[in-house]
Amino acid sequence: MTVIGAGVSGLTTAIVLAEGGTPVRVITEDLPGRTSLAAGAMWWPHLAQPKDEVAEWSRRSLVDFHALAGDPRTGVRITSGIEASRHSEGPPEWATTLPGFRICSPGDLPAGFTTGYRITVPLIDMPVYLAYLQERLLTAGVTITRGKVTDLDDPELGPVVVNCSGLGARRLAQDRDLRPVRGQHVIVGNPGITDFFSEDTGASPDLLCIYPHGNTVVLGGTAIDGRADLVPDPAAAEAILSRCAAVEPRLAEVRVLGHRIGTRPTRTLVRVEAERRTGDRAVLHNYGHSGSGVTLSWGCAYDIQRLCAAEG
C-alpha cells in the first residue's frame, strides 16, 4: 500500500497501517510536510466539519496524545492554559468535558477580555513530534521515498492508495472544494511562560495564540483564506508580536528565532472516504482538515485503517 504525503496525517496514517500489519510505503515531496511543521500546535477541534465525525476523530486522537505525553521523546505535553474571548460567548460543549475545565474569573483574564475558561489539553512541539513519527515509521519497517505523485491511477502505486496529500489533493484528486488558508507563526525565546493562551477570534484572519515549548514559544498567528505563498510577511510578524505582548508583557522584549509558514488544506467537509477507481483500484482519501490536522490525525488514521480492511 502506498501513502501519499508525510505531513501529520500521512505519517500517522502510515504508522497505524504498518503497526496493524499492512505493508506500507510513503511517497512525499516534503519530509516532513511543511504545513504540519508550521503548526503551533495544540489539540483543539477547530473550524472543521462534519461535526459528529470531527467530535469522534478528536476524541480518539486525544486518547493517543495522552498516551504519547508519557514519553519525552514525542514532544507531546499535557498543558494547562486559557481560551479567552472579548465577546460574551460560552465555551464549546466539548471543552466542558475535559480535565481541568473551569470558568475564569475576571481577575484571571487580560485587559479587554470578557470571558474565558481554563482547560488542560495536549500541546505538541511539532518539529520534535514529526521527527518522532518518522522514527516510529522506520522502526515499523516503512520506506519513505522523496518524490512527486502526479496521477492517483499510476499502477506503480499499487491497488490501494492512501491520499494524504493535503493541499496537493486539489490537483491529484481534482478537488475544487479544497483551498489554502495561509498561517504564520513567530518563534521566540521563552521568557518563562509555562501555560498556553489562546483567543477566540471568530472569523478574523488575525489570530492570537501563545504556545510555550520549553526554551521557545510559538506565537500566532494568521488565517488568510485563499493565500498560498510561503514567504514570511514582516508586517504580519510584527502584528503577531504586538498582539501577543499586549496579553503577555514578558513577550515585549523577546528574541525572534524564526518564522513558520504553512497553508492549511481547507474544504467544506474533511474528506475521509474510499473512492473506487478504474481497474478496481481504491483510493482512500484523508485530507482537508483545515487547522485541525493534528487534532484529528489519529482518529482519521483509524478510520482509514477500517476502510483499508474493508477493501480486503
Side-chain angles (χ1 to χ4, degrees), residues 185-188 256-260:
H185 286 111
V186 181
I187 315 303
V188 302
V256 174
L257 303 176
H259 304 267
R260 295 179 191 163

Side-chain angles (χ1 to χ4, degrees), residues 57-77:
W57 291 327
S58 301
R59 184 195 65 78
R60 295 182 74 187
S61 294
L62 184 60
V63 172
D64 281 70
F65 281 122
H66 271 279
L68 291 169
D71 184 345
R73 300 173 303 162
T74 67
V76 180
R77 293 181 298 112

Side-chain angles (χ1 to χ4, degrees), residues 151-170:
D151 185 356
L152 290 175
D153 292 318
D154 184 344
E156 294 296 321
L157 299 176
V160 181
V161 178
V162 184
N163 176 23
C164 298
S165 60
L167 197 60
R170 183 174 171 86

